[in-house]
Amino acid sequence: MSRHPLSGKNIVLGVAGSIAAYKAAELASRLVQVGAQVDTVMTREATAFVAPLTFQALTHRPVIVDLFDPRSELAIDHVAVAKRADAILLAPATAQLIARLAAGMADDAVTATVLAAAAPVVICPAMETNMYRHPATQANLARLKEWGAVVVEPASGRLASGAEGIGRLADPGTILGTLRWVLGRNGDLAGRRVVVSAGGTREAIDPVRYITNRSSGKMGHALAAAARDRGAQVTLVTTVAPDPETAAGVDVRRVESALDMLSAVQGAVQSADALIMAAAVADFRPESAAAHKVKKGDADAWTLRLVRNPDVLASVSGPFIKIGFAAETRDIRENALSKLKAKGLHMIVANDVSEPGSGFESDTNRVTIFHADGRVEELPLLPKLEVAHRVLDRLVELLG
Ligand code: PMT
């Protein structure tokens, strides 16, 4: 079974009358692709922008517009859709919809569904800047938050009117990531603080050149997203910007070099329950980075002197679980076990980075987990998100 947090979930997608309604079609499609069952509920105004048939075709389910349409499921049992919802996603939510919700109204299919549901509500406003900033809209949103709704702030940029400002529907990735966070809030890592590192460090030679490695950050980002999906409060220390879906609900700290990573990790592990280092930290850096671009002149060769970087994982300690990764191309067992010991780890996840589909840059990974108590677990080739969940399963056991 898929470990995607939205797989098998009943999501009610409420669409209101805004030009951004067409973007709700992408949300519906992405939700269906990850295995969610989507019931679309539209305001009458929304149907002026996008036809219900669009959502019906994408979700393979009837779309509800009229509260009292005899053919509509809602008319048969007007709370059925609301009752089975795991979450309600209102995207786009107009000022009008937000005002009616804040007034507790149930005068159309969308508001009636929200009022009849006990599920968490995620509101994604989209409107003109002044409407969004108006004290009435802000007060309405504050009231809905007080009642437990989660609001995904709109983005700034070009609006339908041609003006620039805040009010664009948030990025679909941010919306889906927030939905994942909301659904996972009571997961088995709820109340835990997890620090994850990701990506290859960049060791500057001069302002335009650096030494790095092939780490894309995918493994670490999958760990951060999976820990967030299971309720953890996650800090992601990374050299690569995560996609918006991963970043939602995660405290992202961008770094470049091993020394940057060391100070970010040292800061983040204070009061953490676990540190998982999936980053590929450069063992060496240029002794000094030139202040200006080094010119080739007529030189035939260039000798760079490298000095040792600190070992981030070995140098942090405290009452938290320490999990390392080991990127190996041979003698995996020996190398992984010696790192487990030398760095004082609870477990180390070893991957053969020379194997196709495994290690650097791929979306899959084949890992062997070596535990401090001597247990060894060989996992098959799996998507990195699933590898992340297997590692977190072990973390949950270690945390007791
Ligand atoms: O980012 P991807 O493209 O998805 O690729 C994933 C990955 C291959 C980078 C990942 O799965 C992985 O193996 N990460 C660890 C890479 C590595 O640097 O391994 P290592 O064997 O050199 O280091 C062992 C451990 O010590 C690692 O947890 C590393 O983060 C840590 N380390 C290493 C050196 C250093 N100076 N400080 C450290 O903390």
Side-chain angles (χ1 to χ4, degrees), residues 101-280:
L101 288 170
M105 292 171 79
D107 57 344
D108 71 1
V110 178
T111 50
T113 307
V114 174
L115 216 59
V121 179
V122 177
I123 302 175
C124 309
M127 63 197 72
E128 280 296 313
T129 305
N130 288 346
M131 292 175 85
Y132 181 67
R133 290 211 176 119
H134 195 285
T137 305
Q138 289 304 315
N140 289 335
L141 284 170
R143 183 155 213 215
L144 292 166
K145 281 189 205 170
E146 237 175 73
W147 290 343
V150 171
V151 175
V152 183
E153 288 290 303
S156 293
R158 190 179 179 281
L159 302 168
S161 62
E164 296 276 329
I166 191 166
R168 287 170 63 87
L169 184 69
D171 180 279
T174 306
I175 294 173
L176 294 176
T178 305
L179 193 57
R180 287 169 65 164
W181 169 72
V182 165
L183 285 166
R185 279 184 300 188
N186 300 319
D188 55 5
L189 284 171
R192 299 294 190 179
R193 283 203 56 230
V194 176
V195 179
V196 178
S197 74
T201 58
R202 292 176 168 192
E203 310 300 330
I205 296 170
D206 66 17
V208 297
R209 304 180 180 94
Y210 53 80
I211 298 172
T212 190
N213 56 62
R214 287 175 45 207
S215 172
S216 63
K218 286 181 183 175
M219 189 64 247
H221 293 181
L223 282 156
R228 179 268 323 268
D229 293 345
R230 293 168 73 149
Q233 195 186 323
V234 180
T235 301
L236 172 63
V237 179
T238 179
T239 63
V240 185
D243 59 54
E245 191 165 339
T246 298
V250 169
D251 173 12
V252 178
R253 312 222 180 138
R254 286 292 301 281
V255 294
E256 285 244 326
S257 66
L259 291 176
D260 293 343
M261 185 165 280
L262 175 68
S263 69
V265 168
Q266 274 171 340
V269 290
Q270 311 292 328
S271 80
D273 295 290
L275 167 65
I276 310 176
M277 289 278 305

Side-chain angles (χ1 to χ4, degrees), residues 197 199 214-220 277-283 309-314 324-328 339 343 348 351 353 359-362 365 384:
S197 74
R214 287 175 45 207
S215 172
S216 63
K218 286 181 183 175
M219 189 64 247
M277 289 278 305
V281 186
D283 290 316
N309 265 330
D311 191 305
V312 180
L313 200 47
F325 270 70
E328 306 296 344
K339 286 175 186 171
K343 299 178 195 240
I348 191 155
N351 37 205
V353 290
F360 293 114
E361 294 167 322
S362 60
N365 206 0
K384 280 183 173 164

